């Protein structure tokens, strides 16, 4: 559904993530060192779908601090 790069991370949003989508993600270049699968609720999916190409949504407090620190 969407893809964006933030720092050293690439975020991919899939609808119906499964084995086929995991195989696609594993074949990316450069190869990912980790793949984290996060289920999105309806509200999160709507926000991601409608927000367009903006900054990453931090999943953890450390990510938010890193993203905000990179802007300053």
């Amino acid at each position: 559904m969407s893809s964006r790069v933030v720092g050293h991370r690439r975020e991919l949003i899939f609808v119906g993530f499964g084995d086929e989508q995991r195989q696609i993600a594993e074949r990316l270049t450069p190869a990912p060192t980790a793949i984290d699968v996060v289920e999105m609720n309806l509200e999160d999916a709507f926000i991601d779908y409608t927000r367009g190409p903006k900054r990453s949504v931090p999943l953890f407090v450390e990510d938010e601090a890193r993203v905000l620190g990179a802007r300053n």
Side-chain angles (χ1 to χ4, degrees), residues 12-31:
L12 302 171
I13 308 296
F14 288 101
V15 174
F17 186 83
D19 291 336
E20 181 179 354
Q21 290 78 16
R22 179 174 288 280
Q23 290 171 4
I24 292 168
E26 289 171 347
R27 289 192 303 257
L28 292 172
T29 303

Side-chain angles (χ1 to χ4, degrees), residues 28-41:
L28 292 172
T29 303
T33 57
I35 296 176
D36 298 322
V37 178
V38 178
E39 296 276 333
M40 295 171 60
N41 63 32

Side-chain angles (χ1 to χ4, degrees), residues 1-69:
M1 191 168 119
S2 69
S3 171
R4 71 180 129 259
V5 176
V6 178
H8 67 282
R9 294 178 56 176
R10 174 179 300 269
E11 295 181 355
L12 302 171
I13 308 296
F14 288 101
V15 174
F17 186 83
D19 291 336
E20 181 179 354
Q21 290 78 16
R22 179 174 288 280
Q23 290 171 4
I24 292 168
E26 289 171 347
R27 289 192 303 257
L28 292 172
T29 303
T33 57
I35 296 176
D36 298 322
V37 178
V38 178
E39 296 276 333
M40 295 171 60
N41 63 32
L42 183 59
E43 180 180 5
D44 293 336
F46 176 79
I47 290 168
D48 189 78
Y49 184 74
T50 59
R51 73 183 174 140
K54 297 182 181 172
R55 71 174 181 83
S56 171
V57 174
L59 298 176
F60 304 102
V61 173
E62 301 87 45
D63 286 346
E64 184 173 19
R66 183 180 49 74
V67 169
L68 293 175

